[in-house]
Amino acid sequence: MAEPRFDVAGIGNAIVDVLAHADDAFLEAQGLPKGGMTLIDEARAETLYGAMGPGVEISGGSAANTIAGLASLGARVAYIGKVKDDALGRIFRHDITASGVYYPTVPLTEGPATARSLILVSPDAERTMNTFLGACTCLGPQDIDESVIRDAAITYVEGYQWDMPAAKDAIRLAADHTRAAGRRFALSLSDPFCVGRHKADFIELLDNHVDILFANESEALALTDTSSIDAATQALQGRCAIAAITRGSQGCRVVLPDTVCDVPAHPVTTLVDTTGAGDLFAAGFLWGLCRGYAPADCARVGAVTAAEVVSHVGARPAVDSLAALVNDVLGLNGTPA
C-alpha cells in the first residue's frame, strides 16, 4: 500500500466556541443539563448569549480540536467540516489552516450562519454546551473529498455528526472509501446524550466499520447498556480492534481483542476547563498509532495531551508544540520505543 499523504483526516462540526464561566444556579435557572450538550436554534443562541457573562471566542468543534492537536504534534492532517462565508466562518478557517491543517471544504455563501457553541464552565471545571449547528447541517456527501479519505491512514469522525441526516450519509460514504482503500476508521462517541439519540446507528457502525473507538466511561456504559466499566469492557471486547475508554482522573482503559490494560491519567496541577479533554486525548492516541506505538503507549501520550488542554480555557493546545511537550514528559519524539 502506498504511503498515505495524511496521518489522519477528521470529519466533524466546524464550530466557534464561546466560553464563559457560570455557576450551578445559572445552569438551573436556564434549564441546562450540567455536563451535557444541548442542540439549540439561532433564537435560543441569541437569548442565551445575552444572558451569559463575558465570553471568549475560540475555534472549536470536537473533531477539529483533535485535528488541531494532531497538527501541534507534527502529524499530517486534513479536516472536512462546513462553515458559512461569514465572520465566524472566516475565523474558523483562519485558525485551522494557520495550525497547519489542510481544509478543502467549500464554505456556504447563503443559508444558515456558521455554527457556534455556547459553553458554560462551572467552578468545578465541568462544561455545559449549548450548540447552534447552523452551517454544519449542510455538510453532505458532496463535501467528502474521496482523494483525502483514501489518502489518510486513519479517518476520524465525531459522533455529533449523527445529529444531521445529510451528515450521516456523508460519514457512511467516507467509511466506504476508508474500507476500499484499506485504511482505518475511528469513531468518537462524543457525548452520552448523543449515544442515547443514536445508539442503534453507533452499534451498526461499530460492528461494520469502526476499527478504533473512543468513548468516555459514561458513553461506553450508555452504548453497551451496562452499569460498570468491567461490564462495558466485556461488551466491547472484540467488537473492534481498539477501544479507548477515558475515565477522567482514573485514566484510560484500552480494550483490545485479546487483552485489556489500564493506563493512569497524567497529573494535572491546575484544572481550569475540561472542554476538549477527550478531543486532545484522541489526538495523542492517534498520533501514537500513526507512529507505530503500542496502544498502551498511545494512551500515555493521550493522557499528556489531555492534561495540557484542561489546564487552561479552550479546547485547542495553548503550548507552542505538543510534540515538544510529549517529548519532554515521555521522551517520545515520534519513534516507537
Side-chain angles (χ1 to χ4, degrees):
M1 185 183 299
E3 175 71 16
R5 177 184 174 193
F6 303 107
D7 294 308
V8 181
I11 306 174
N13 291 331
I15 296 173
V16 176
D17 293 336
V18 181
L19 297 103
H21 292 284
D23 57 22
D24 290 356
F26 180 86
L27 301 180
E28 185 175 351
Q30 292 291 328
L32 304 174
K34 185 176 180 179
M37 192 283 284
T38 302
L39 295 175
I40 58 176
D41 60 20
E42 193 163 8
R44 173 62 171 150
E46 293 296 334
T47 300
L48 185 57
Y49 181 76
M52 290 167 57
V56 177
E57 293 182 353
I58 306 172
S59 292
S62 178
N65 295 335
T66 298
I67 293 300
L70 278 156
S72 184
L73 284 161
R76 303 161 301 160
V77 285
Y79 179 73
I80 295 172
K82 204 75 169 175
V83 297
K84 187 177 184 179
D85 186 16
D86 56 16
L88 288 181
R90 288 188 286 275
I91 288 172
F92 183 92
R93 181 171 294 278
H94 170 270
D95 287 353
I96 200 163
T97 55
S99 67
V101 178
Y102 177 63
Y103 181 35
T105 312
V106 177
L108 295 174
T109 55
E110 1 180 276
T114 295
R116 77 287 312 258
S117 184
L118 308 180
I119 302 176
L120 300 164
V121 182
S122 308
D124 59 1
E126 184 62 88
R127 80 283 185 274
T128 300
M129 297 182 290
N130 306 271
T131 304
F132 165 60
L133 289 172
C136 293
T137 61
C138 298
L139 181 79
Q142 73 280 359
D143 295 303
I144 300 301
D145 187 324
E146 181 177 353
S147 64
V148 168
I149 301 301
R150 286 177 171 267
D151 217 7
I154 299 171
T155 292
Y156 174 80
V157 175
E158 64 181 72
Y160 287 134
Q161 290 294 285
W162 260 255
D163 286 319
M164 291 91 64
K168 290 184 186 181
D169 295 335
I171 299 309
R172 293 188 188 282
L173 177 61
D176 289 342
H177 290 325
T178 302
R179 188 66 63 211
R183 309 298 192 186
R184 291 187 285 183
F185 187 86
L187 172 70
S188 168
L189 292 183
S190 295
D191 179 299
F193 298 101
C194 185
V195 174
R197 291 191 294 271
H198 308 293
K199 185 183 299 184
D201 281 345
F202 287 161
I203 290 173
E204 186 275 328
L205 277 172
L206 180 63
D207 289 339
N208 295 291
H209 298 285
V210 174
D211 300 294
I212 307 153
L213 179 71
F214 292 97
N216 65 28
E217 186 169 353
S218 296
E219 293 156 6
L221 297 182
L223 183 70
T224 57
D225 287 318
T226 57
S227 57
S228 72
I229 183 65
D230 291 333
T233 299
Q234 186 175 9
L236 288 172
Q237 193 164 23
R239 303 285 287 272
C240 59
I242 302 171
I245 306 173
T246 54
R247 308 182 67 200
S249 62
Q250 297 182 69
C252 169
R253 174 163 291 186
V254 180
V255 183
L256 308 176
D258 57 354
T259 189
V260 174
C261 65
D262 290 310
V263 176
H266 187 71
V268 177
T269 304
T270 305
L271 180 62
V272 175
D273 173 18
T274 58
T275 308
D279 303 334
L280 269 295
F281 174 86
F285 197 101
L286 291 169
W287 179 81
L289 281 182
C290 290
R291 272 135 194 85
Y293 294 169
D297 288 330
C298 294
R300 292 184 180 94
V301 178
V304 171
T305 51
E308 189 282 330
V309 82
V310 302
S311 68
H312 57 80
V313 173
R316 301 282 175 92
V319 294
D320 291 336
S321 168
L322 283 179
L325 175 65
V326 168
N327 191 37
D328 288 344
V329 174
L330 299 177
L332 299 175
N333 59 9
T335 303

